[in-house]
Amino acid sequence: MEGIDENRRYSEAVTLESFESLSKYKRALLATPWRLVDRMTGRSMEDVELVEVKRRSHHEMKKTLTWWDLIWFGMGSVIGSGIFVLTGFEVRNHVGPAVVLSYVISGVSAMLSVFCYTEFAVEIPVAGGSFAYLRVELGDFVAYIASGNILLEYVVGGAAVARSWTSYFATLCNQDPDKFLIHAHHLSADYSNLDPIAVAVLFIIGLFAVSSTKGSSRFNYLASILHLLVLLFIIVAGLTKANAANYSSFLPFGSRGIFQAAAVLFFAYVGFDAVSTMAEETKNPGRDIPLGLIGSMMCTTLVYCMLSVTLCLMQRFSEVDEKAAFSVAFEAVGMSWAKYIVAFGALKGMTSVLLVGAVGQARYLTHIARTQLLPPWLAKVNERTGTPINATVVMLGATAIVAFFTKLDVLANLLSISTLFLFSLVALALLVRRYCARGVATQANIVKFVLCVALILGSSVASAVYWANTTKWVGYTIMVPLWLVGTVGIWLLVPMTKKPKVWGVPLVPFLPSASIGINVFLLGSLDKASFRRFGFWTAILLVYYLFVGLHSSYDMAQILKKEKVESLTESKLDEENVVPSLTESGTKNEDHHNLNN
């Protein structure tokens, strides 16, 4: 009965005091400064994310995934349109044959982030992914701002992939890439090419995503295996037409072009963070998540490097087509029929990216709603399917609307910045987790840690700004040593207060510190327009947070505290009731024994 009552208690709608009446809402607004300080300084607890917050979904997600599923989810989430859409443009305009080094740099940056994500996913296996990790280590406010930006990037990225799907489908049908678009003359030029096929594809993807996570996994790895076979064909067939002379000018744009391209090509690795949101549905997180995340990223980086080398050996960089690099390259070497295989491979890859994105994004949104930062009906998990249907429909609906109206080049300019920002925060959260454990770290050690982190962040930001504004190198002789001083300072001066229970990031603090440095540095290669859009969207998020999210989150935190106190009180009363009865029973037995004697 106790378990039934508890489940009933959590299935009831949560009443938030701040929104019960207009007068209470006004009082909540007046208390905004104090509540904001509370939410910025307060950090969630692991058991809260793993137990209390999860219960707000009413039903459990089904644990059906293994490391095999996660590897293919990881590869399916990453190997999509990025390699086909972005490579040609960067090769021709920014980097040339050295694009392979750009893929290595962006791959190393992504791998460092994968390590940080993996430790968190093993220790806190919930659907919230980076949102839950940041809530535990950096607080509610930072987690909300970061997750709000990444949700926008999920929607924009999904819309960009859906629009690319239509273009490659037209190519496969031997038509112009814009053949299936509907032109609406009365709309703005950037939003007048309507794409109904993208909407239809997203609708079909949504049906798979809401029906079953395991079913989605099976479809994904079958599609991903077929996709890898197509990529293998492109590599083998392309290398049979290789011409070493095309590699004669390896660095036509200089070394700066390598890093400039790396920042853009980082989009080709975006998506693996969605896999960490599936930790809640993994059978054995301690084993399956490290194998799945790290294994898929290593395979992806290898495939990207081989494809980029193949492209630049087939065709001189100045002749590479910006939009359909591989298709045109095969035509140039007399294999025109191969462009259909390339288009088919791109379609399969983008389908997997859309599916994994739909599954991961919905779980991300679900956990945010569990904390009341978003409407709680988004947190509900369907009892029959074990999937968050409401969150899936909302995310794909928003993606479909954006994909229907917005041109691909407009969408491409919105990508990467939120992901690099989020990855930097996750690496910082890992350092906080290891060196600032609550109740263990002393005040003196926390001060030393903060000073060292300030050196790491300051030198990284200074390097990014320096890179964006000058072509000189002398400044790095100051900033890189400062980064090293901050990292070594943590290693030597601040004792580690928490060690991972199952799987941990190696070479701490150097590896997460390097992740911060590289991700922030790559931010310096993005254009100013991207930062303006990032700031504009963050301002919108902040307004919503101050008027709605902050008070919902604060009330929810108070409810959880009250429930915890009540639980401890009930437990104490139970102990007090049990002990006397045992004593009384023992006394009666003893008296009976004495009487018999």
Side-chain angles (χ1 to χ4, degrees):
M1 287 296 293
E2 183 180 349
I4 294 174
D5 291 341
E6 186 177 2
N7 288 334
R8 186 183 295 118
R9 175 162 62 95
Y10 278 102
S11 65
E12 294 172 352
V14 177
T15 302
L16 300 178
E17 183 180 354
S18 298
F19 302 94
E20 286 181 349
S21 65
L22 183 59
S23 60
K24 289 187 176 182
Y25 180 64
K26 289 179 179 177
R27 285 199 295 270
L29 290 180
L30 291 174
T32 294
W34 295 274
R35 291 187 173 192
L36 184 60
V37 172
D38 176 84
R39 295 288 79 202
M40 291 183 71
T41 57
R43 293 188 280 171
S44 181
M45 302 290 290
E46 287 184 29
D47 59 338
V48 170
E49 299 297 316
L50 291 169
V51 182
E52 281 87 351
V53 174
K54 276 176 60 177
R55 282 173 172 156
R56 300 298 172 187
S57 288
H58 308 332
H59 301 290
E60 290 279 341
M61 295 185 188
K62 296 179 181 179
K63 293 184 179 295
T64 58
L65 304 179
T66 65
W67 64 269
W68 176 258
D69 298 300
L70 294 182
I71 280 183
W72 290 107
F73 264 131
M75 296 184 69
S77 68
V78 175
I79 304 179
S81 60
I83 185 67
F84 295 105
V85 174
L86 299 176
T87 306
F89 183 84
E90 294 304 315
V91 166
R92 182 157 182 166
N93 297 289
H94 295 136
V95 66
V99 66
V100 63
L101 298 181
S102 299
Y103 270 117
V104 169
I105 291 171
S106 53
V108 168
S109 176
M111 180 62 78
L112 294 176
S113 299
V114 164
F115 274 107
C116 298
Y117 266 86
T118 300
E119 179 171 328
F120 275 117
V122 169
E123 299 277 317
I124 314 174
V126 293
S130 55
F131 172 74
Y133 314 151
L134 295 178
R135 251 173 64 89
V136 170
E137 301 302 341
L138 299 182
D140 187 86
F141 176 75
V142 173
Y144 168 77
I145 294 299
S147 60
N149 274 288
I150 203 67
L151 282 175
L152 173 67
E153 188 153 316
Y154 276 146
V155 170
V156 171
V161 174
R163 298 279 297 202
S164 295
W165 200 100
T166 303
S167 298
Y168 273 96
F169 179 69
T171 302
L172 190 63
C173 298
N174 202 27
Q175 301 291 329
D176 184 80
D178 296 334
K179 176 68 176 179
F180 299 124
L181 300 181
I182 300 173
H183 189 67
H185 298 281
H186 59 285
L187 296 177
S188 170
D190 289 336
Y191 305 97
S192 60
N193 292 316
L194 309 183
D195 193 342
I197 291 181
V199 175
V201 169
L202 288 168
F203 176 77
I204 296 171
I205 290 294
L207 294 179
F208 275 97
V210 302
S211 61
S212 165
T213 304
K214 188 65 177 179
S216 298
S217 173
R218 288 171 180 160
F219 175 83
N220 171 70
Y221 68 66
L222 288 174
S224 296
I225 289 173
L226 184 58
H227 183 47
L228 283 181
L229 290 176
V230 173
L231 296 181
L232 184 62
F233 163 80
I234 293 173
I235 293 169
V236 173
L239 289 178
T240 61
K241 301 293 183 178
N243 182 0
N246 293 330
Y247 246 59
S248 58
S249 180
F250 186 71
L251 275 174
F253 299 94
S255 56
R256 288 183 64 86
I258 297 174
F259 293 97
Q260 185 175 356
V264 176
L265 294 175
F266 189 84
F267 171 62
Y269 291 95
V270 170
F272 75 83
D273 55 319
V275 181
S276 69
T277 66
M278 301 174 197
E280 192 172 315
E281 298 160 90
T282 302
K283 292 180 179 179
N284 185 352
R287 180 199 65 187
D288 296 336
I289 292 173
L291 288 173
L293 276 173
I294 298 173
S296 61
M297 186 53 63
M298 291 177 65
C299 293
T300 298
T301 303
L302 178 62
V303 169
Y304 279 172
C305 290
M306 293 177 67
L307 283 168
S308 61
V309 169
T310 301
L311 174 66
C312 293
L313 283 173
M314 290 175 66
Q315 199 172 22
R316 185 167 177 79
F317 78 91
S318 57
E319 299 172 356
V320 169
D321 187 81
E322 295 182 5
K323 294 182 178 180
F326 288 92
S327 298
V328 173
F330 275 109
E331 283 185 321
V333 296
M335 298 175 65
S336 300
W337 53 270
K339 72 177 182 180
Y340 299 107
I341 299 179
V342 172
F344 178 74
L347 282 178
K348 298 299 292 183
M350 286 184 279
T351 302
S352 296
V353 167
L354 289 172
L355 178 60
V356 178
V359 172
Q361 294 158 24
R363 280 137 189 82
Y364 206 86
L365 189 65
T366 296
H367 199 76
I368 297 174
R370 286 169 172 173
T371 66
Q372 299 291 320
L373 281 168
L374 291 173
W377 65 272
L378 289 170
K380 291 183 179 180
V381 172
N382 184 270
E383 183 178 10
R384 183 180 64 84
T385 64
T387 58
I389 292 180
N390 294 347
T392 305
V393 171
V394 167
M395 286 299 294
L396 286 178
T399 304
I401 292 172
V402 174
F404 184 65
F405 290 101
T406 314
K407 289 175 64 177
L408 184 59
D409 56 351
V410 176
L411 295 172
N413 289 331
L414 290 168
L415 297 170
S416 292
I417 185 170
S418 297
T419 302
L420 289 168
F421 174 66
L422 179 66
F423 289 175
S424 302
L425 286 177
V426 171
L428 175 61
L430 183 68
L431 289 175
V432 172
R433 180 178 182 81
R434 291 289 195 96
Y435 293 95
C436 293
R438 279 165 286 197
V440 181
T442 65
Q443 191 68 33
N445 286 332
I446 291 176
V447 171
K448 287 187 287 186
F449 174 81
V450 170
L451 291 175
C452 290
V453 167
L455 274 177
I456 293 171
L457 291 175
S459 59
S460 299
V461 171
S463 297
V465 173
Y466 188 75
W467 173 267
N469 291 282
T470 181
T471 58
K472 298 179 181 179
W473 296 89
V474 65
Y476 302 115
T477 60
I478 299 173
M479 289 172 283
V480 173
L482 284 177
W483 170 86
L484 187 60
V485 168
T487 308
V488 173
I490 295 177
W491 182 46
L492 294 178
L493 302 177
V494 186
M496 191 176 294
T497 56
K498 188 170 188 175
K499 293 185 178 180
K501 301 172 185 176
V502 181
W503 189 94
V505 174
L507 301 176
V508 174
F510 294 96
L511 191 149
S513 179
S515 179
I516 293 172
I518 294 176
N519 286 325
V520 172
F521 180 75
L522 289 177
L523 282 171
S525 297
L526 298 176
D527 59 4
K528 293 179 181 178
S530 297
F531 284 95
R532 284 195 295 269
R533 282 184 284 265
F534 177 80
F536 178 73
W537 177 246
T538 300
I540 294 175
L541 292 174
L542 189 58
V543 170
Y544 172 83
Y545 185 76
L546 292 177
F547 285 93
V548 181
L550 168 64
H551 309 292
S552 299
S553 176
Y554 180 84
D555 287 351
M556 190 67 202
Q558 299 307 307
I559 290 172
L560 289 175
K561 286 180 183 178
K562 183 179 178 181
E563 289 176 350
K564 191 170 185 178
V565 170
E566 289 175 353
S567 178
L568 290 173
T569 304
E570 290 174 3
S571 177
K572 187 175 181 180
L573 288 173
D574 289 341
E575 289 178 4
E576 291 175 351
N577 291 332
V578 169
V579 172
S581 64
L582 288 174
T583 305
E584 184 180 349
S585 175
T587 304
K588 288 181 179 179
N589 290 335
E590 186 177 341
D591 291 342
H592 180 71
H593 177 72
N594 291 335
L595 285 171
N596 288 338
N597 288 338

